[in-house]
Amino acid sequence: MRQSKLFTKTQKTVSAGETSKNAQLLTRGGFIYKNSAGIYTYLPLGWRVIEKLSNIIREEMNAIGSVEMFMPALVSKEYLQATDRWDKGVGFKVVSQTDLDKLQAPIRQLADKLQEEYVLGWTHEEVITVIASNYVNSYRDLPFFTYQIQTKFRNEKRPKSGLLRGREFMMKDLYSFHTDQKDLECFYEVVKFAYLRIFERCGLEALYTLAAGGDFTEDYTHEFQVLAEVGEDSILYCNKCKYAENKEVSKLKTGDKCKECNGKMQSANSIEVGNIFPLGTKYSKALNLKYKDEDGNEKQVVMGSYGIGLGRLMATIVEKYNDDKGIIWPSSVAPFGMHLLSLDKNKDADKIYQTLIEKGVQVLYDDRDVSVGEKFADADLIGISMRAVVSEKSLKKGGVEIKMRDSDKEEIIKIDDLSK
Ligand SMILES: [Zn+2]
């Protein structure tokens, strides 16, 4: 992509309201735009990062045998009433068109008669359970696993910390359906390792952390926590084996002996980047999802649900990987594989760009008519792992000057070797 075609620009400053590092750097770099409190647009650069994250997640979800689908964001009242989650105050409720039409009459008389009919979904256990009940008859139909990557909504009273806590956010939610608890527990472990692979591929070390059930289940659940000062969660974790518990449920204290080894527990702030819930039969009971076992007896389907917030994942990566000049993306999630800078408007830079494109390299090509200083500063702020500079000087030295974002070392590489 030619940088001259990007309609976004980098910014030196952001509004004083953006106090978190991720929102500051992502806004300054032209990755996101804040539309309202807790509501952000992913600009072209930001959307490319989201696509990289989505692809990593898709690959790992497909590898464990789950299949992708897409459910509606508008969730009808009847779904959430069945599980007592309609009045939890979590979602944004939506009034039906019929009732909106009535607003033409004096609002005062009708305000208390407005019928809220839908909620903008913050999770989809109910919806997928009802869908599943249409297809599951016998034990032969189980187990199965399905996921979606979709926008979710939460009526956060005070959204904060940029993409870490928003009112609208992208989620990957996976649901699993089993004949019994044991089968669920097996799959739970499979997802655990898939999640650890996802976070590792995104450059993050996530700790598998015992946590409370929240709205989802009365049972224990697990979170994936990344240590970070800005994090809203507090966890205790072992300095040796990384066994971890959320302080909300932990009976341990700092300095206590680890349950798993002879290490010591220490406390830290952390960001929850994923969570997994053994739902059991809570939703299948409420929404009547049954199957017939081998003897023809009717049983409740056992379920699990598993989430990863994509915007939050992106924000966590930025919180972990930055310096005073900007973001330092791990190459696996950077918006482009290479940032090509043309310093002297030479024709060779155009040719190099074309060749790289033909060879399938994802390049951001800074062909803008701006100062050298501005190009370097923007490259550091945007934070693509590899910078390649084409100038009269570099060409005289025999090629293109390469520098990694996380290093000060520069080296000349021959133009023919660049695509490698
Ligand atoms: Zn330990």
Side-chain angles (χ1 to χ4, degrees), residues 279-346:
L279 299 174
T281 56
K282 180 175 172 175
Y283 293 90
S284 56
K285 264 186 194 149
L287 295 155
N288 201 27
L289 173 58
K290 290 179 182 162
Y291 72 96
K292 281 204 175 74
D293 71 7
E294 287 181 55
D295 303 319
N297 302 316
E298 276 206 327
K299 287 187 172 155
Q300 303 288 349
V301 172
V302 176
M303 292 169 54
S305 92
Y306 318 79
I308 293 179
L310 278 79
R312 185 180 282 199
L313 190 52
M314 180 166 159
T316 307
I317 294 167
V318 174
E319 293 285 345
K320 299 294 280 188
Y321 292 97
N322 67 75
D323 61 13
D324 55 356
K325 293 177 187 155
I327 304 170
I328 310 171
W329 294 108
S331 56
S332 58
V333 298
F336 291 89
M338 185 189 291
H339 200 163
L340 181 69
L341 275 56
S342 163
L343 296 196
D344 313 312
K345 285 203 229 166
N346 48 63

Side-chain angles (χ1 to χ4, degrees), residues 49-326:
V49 176
I50 288 290
E51 289 209 308
K52 293 281 170 78
L53 298 174
S54 305
N55 287 339
I56 291 173
I57 291 172
R58 278 198 180 96
E59 282 172 20
E60 297 296 340
M61 289 295 98
N62 296 345
I64 60 171
S66 66
V67 287
E68 188 169 4
M69 64 186 287
F70 194 82
M71 289 181 268
L74 271 182
V75 180
S76 180
K77 191 179 189 172
E78 66 205 52
Y79 287 88
L80 279 95
Q81 276 181 333
T83 56
D84 286 333
R85 295 211 286 182
W86 175 250
D87 287 319
K88 286 272 183 201
V90 181
F92 292 97
K93 290 191 177 164
V94 180
V95 176
S96 74
Q97 187 58 49
T98 329
D99 291 309
L100 279 179
D101 292 344
K102 290 180 198 155
L103 282 177
Q104 289 159 5
I107 291 171
R108 184 176 281 204
Q109 292 169 21
L110 286 163
D112 57 349
K113 289 187 190 160
L114 282 180
Q115 292 292 306
E116 291 160 330
E117 305 246 339
Y118 301 92
V119 69
L120 288 168
W122 77 90
T123 182
H124 278 72
E125 280 80 7
E126 290 86 353
V127 179
I128 187 62
T129 306
V130 170
I131 294 169
S133 66
N134 194 48
Y135 299 105
V136 172
N137 298 307
S138 104
Y139 69 94
R140 288 190 195 90
D141 301 323
L142 298 167
F144 74 93
F145 328 115
T146 186
Y147 72 97
Q148 63 174 348
I149 295 174
Q150 190 215 33
T151 301
K152 301 256 191 279
F153 304 85
R154 277 185 83 96
N155 193 356
E156 292 286 354
K157 299 289 180 272
R158 275 179 301 161
K160 58 173 189 170
S161 310
L163 295 181
L164 290 177
R165 182 167 291 279
R167 290 186 166 137
E168 177 176 328
F169 50 93
M170 284 183 76
M171 277 269 293
K172 186 283 301 169
D173 40 334
L174 163 71
Y175 303 93
S176 72
F177 298 82
H178 311 266
T179 50
D180 54 41
Q181 187 68 25
K182 209 175 145 205
D183 197 55
L184 166 64
E185 283 165 16
C186 282
F187 188 68
Y188 199 80
E189 283 294 300
V190 169
V191 176
K192 168 184 160 179
F193 288 109
Y195 269 34
L196 290 173
R197 275 195 300 278
I198 289 169
F199 299 128
E200 194 187 333
R201 288 179 64 181
C202 295
L204 297 175
E205 186 188 7
L207 304 182
Y208 185 63
T209 306
L210 188 74
D215 285 346
F216 292 87
T217 166
E218 282 148 21
D219 214 347
Y220 68 92
T221 67
H222 287 92
E223 295 164 345
F224 294 80
Q225 297 278 1
V226 173
L227 301 183
E229 220 18 75
V230 68
E232 289 182 359
D233 284 278
S234 301
I235 63 164
L236 282 157
Y237 71 101
C238 169
N239 58 2
K240 271 195 178 163
C241 74
K242 301 288 158 77
Y243 172 80
E245 296 186 352
N246 193 308
K247 277 192 184 164
E248 284 174 5
V249 295
S250 183
K251 291 191 174 72
L252 297 167
K253 292 190 299 291
T254 309
D256 280 357
K257 198 168 161 258
C258 169
K259 285 178 178 173
E260 305 285 319
C261 76
N262 59 3
K264 281 230 161 60
M265 300 303 285
Q266 51 197 73
S267 65
N269 288 347
S270 58
I271 301 169
E272 180 197 331
V273 287
N275 45 38
I276 58 180
F277 303 98
L279 299 174
T281 56
K282 180 175 172 175
Y283 293 90
S284 56
K285 264 186 194 149
L287 295 155
N288 201 27
L289 173 58
K290 290 179 182 162
Y291 72 96
K292 281 204 175 74
D293 71 7
E294 287 181 55
D295 303 319
N297 302 316
E298 276 206 327
K299 287 187 172 155
Q300 303 288 349
V301 172
V302 176
M303 292 169 54
S305 92
Y306 318 79
I308 293 179
L310 278 79
R312 185 180 282 199
L313 190 52
M314 180 166 159
T316 307
I317 294 167
V318 174
E319 293 285 345
K320 299 294 280 188
Y321 292 97
N322 67 75
D323 61 13
D324 55 356
K325 293 177 187 155

